[in-house]
Amino acid sequence: MTDRSPFGTRLLRLLAHRLSAAPMKADEVVAAFARDSGLPESGLSGLLAGTQPSAEILRTLAVALGIPAADMFVLASLPVPADLASAWPTKPWNVGTIVEKAAGMAPAQIARLDELVRSLPVQARTTPSPPDVYPDGSGAVVSRLMMNRNIPPYQAKVLYFVGGGPLVSYSTVGQLGTGKVTLTPRYVTAFAHLLGYRPGDLAAITGVGPALEDQPRHRSAAQIAALAWNARHLTSDQIDHVLASTG
């Protein structure tokens, strides 16, 4: 990784997307977001210029942007702190297994499953998540966002069922993180639905778009994305308990 953080470019694209449909200069984007969020304009300018963001500013930006703090560290290509990290990797069960089950359920069943998930105690991890070997890039971002929900980044099946992703092999989706498979707007849109992002936001963050607003998705995609987020801290034994409750 170079001294220049990729976070500034991702943040600028996201802010420009949210603030205006028309092109805006960087200084106009900074001024508008500083005004709306109450964050100092000087600090924002430094971030957009490539300054490495601090943990404190990432947590502050998370609130201002409405993005989970844990995801902000992913977008900054920084390790997620232990107090925010998911249980990734758990074996043999992971949140992808829960998502796969939920994709075959009615909304009321998903709600009951989510209630069970939220009733289980959070067992905070005591060590950081293991590092990955992905070169920094848009494919690495979406793969890391998956792991931030304890969903294997190669989970092609749930990407297809929930987000309308292409019908491809696990190995194909797994290579998005390495850059061997090119991230496309269809992939980005599918990841957005699975991860609980607005497609336009994720397209802006990754720089891969435009988002495909008419792409078919699961009727309960938003509900399933919330379930996945709520389940991200579960241990393999807890996930086994959740799966056993589904019959």
Side-chain angles (χ1 to χ4, degrees):
M1 184 183 295
T2 65
D3 292 334
R4 179 181 171 84
S5 171
F7 180 68
T9 299
R10 292 166 185 159
L11 179 61
L12 177 60
R13 288 195 301 250
L14 176 61
L15 295 182
H17 166 70
R18 287 192 178 182
L19 290 170
S20 176
M24 298 177 71
K25 296 179 180 179
D27 57 346
E28 295 173 330
V29 171
V30 171
F33 184 64
R35 181 186 65 245
D36 294 343
S37 67
L39 293 168
E41 189 171 333
S42 58
L44 288 171
S45 296
L47 289 177
L48 297 182
T51 300
Q52 190 79 268
S54 66
E56 181 181 6
I57 193 63
L58 287 174
R59 291 173 190 259
T60 301
L61 282 170
V63 176
L65 293 168
I67 291 175
D71 282 356
M72 293 300 296
F73 284 84
V74 172
L75 302 186
S77 299
L78 294 173
V80 179
D83 68 309
L84 297 177
S86 72
W88 170 268
T90 57
K91 295 179 180 181
W93 308 115
N94 56 65
V95 174
T97 317
I98 295 178
V99 170
E100 190 173 334
K101 285 278 188 181
M105 294 179 173
Q109 292 175 299
I110 299 173
R112 288 194 292 271
L113 190 62
D114 187 50
E115 184 178 0
L116 172 60
V117 164
R118 289 184 286 108
S119 73
L120 298 175
V122 174
Q123 299 183 19
R125 67 183 309 145
T126 56
T127 58
S129 301
D132 60 67
V133 296
Y134 297 143
D136 197 32
S138 55
V141 168
V142 294
S143 296
R144 289 169 180 154
L145 288 173
M146 291 277 277
M147 293 186 287
N148 212 22
R149 287 146 180 78
N150 194 17
I151 301 175
Y154 50 78
Q155 264 280 19
K157 187 181 292 186
V158 297
L159 193 66
Y160 172 74
F161 285 133
V162 178
L167 187 58
V168 294
S169 68
Y170 276 36
S171 61
T172 297
V173 173
Q175 291 183 84
L176 289 169
T178 64
K180 293 181 179 179
V181 171
T182 301
L183 192 68
T184 65
R186 183 175 180 184
Y187 275 121
V188 169
T189 305
F191 276 111
H193 292 310
L194 179 58
L195 296 168
Y197 277 72
R198 286 174 287 191
D201 279 359
L202 194 59
I205 289 167
T206 60
V208 178
L212 307 179
E213 298 296 341
D214 59 347
Q215 180 165 306
R217 62 182 182 276
H218 195 284
R219 63 174 180 172
S220 301
Q223 191 180 13
I224 293 172
L227 168 65
W229 181 261
N230 292 334
R232 63 192 292 272
H233 293 296
L234 299 185
T235 64
S236 181
D237 287 344
Q238 288 175 319
I239 294 172
D240 186 34
H241 172 68
V242 170
L243 295 173
S245 75
T246 65

